[in-house]
Amino acid sequence: YIGLDSVAGMLFESMHFAQGAIGDPQLARLATILPEEHGKRPIVVYLHHHPFDRHFTLCLRDSGRLLEVLKDRYSLLLFGHQHRSET
């Protein structure tokens, strides 16, 4: 399992919405720890922000770079979070 911190790169564009980023240091580290191609061992990568550019407000600003690093080198990509009401 490989967890990425997309919250550390958050940019608040308004009072209600935020965009995240993986950033150069994490992308460089990810590139070194992933195998050159997906093999028999499952590799799960997870993060907070949506990694696909679908024009969501809670998106990942460097999603294209992340997907380049991940290409053919992982088994499962998980992302998201859960909202809970305090009422």
Side-chain angles (χ1 to χ4, degrees), residues 5-73:
D5 182 8
S6 66
V7 177
M10 283 179 73
L11 169 71
F12 288 93
E13 297 203 346
S14 75
M15 291 179 59
H16 299 94
F17 302 112
Q19 295 181 350
I22 299 300
D24 292 338
Q26 282 190 103
L27 288 171
R29 177 72 175 130
L30 180 63
T32 64
I33 63 175
L34 286 173
E36 284 303 312
E37 59 185 53
H38 180 255
K40 294 180 180 181
R41 189 174 129 212
I43 297 180
V44 177
V45 180
Y46 59 94
L47 63 147
H48 178 87
H49 288 85
H50 194 290
F52 305 106
D53 184 11
R54 295 178 57 188
H55 307 290
F56 291 132
T57 53
L58 295 173
C59 66
L60 191 66
R61 291 189 323 272
D62 51 2
S63 62
R65 293 178 52 221
L66 171 64
L67 296 176
E68 285 177 25
V69 171
L70 290 175
K71 186 176 181 180
D72 299 327
R73 300 171 73 185

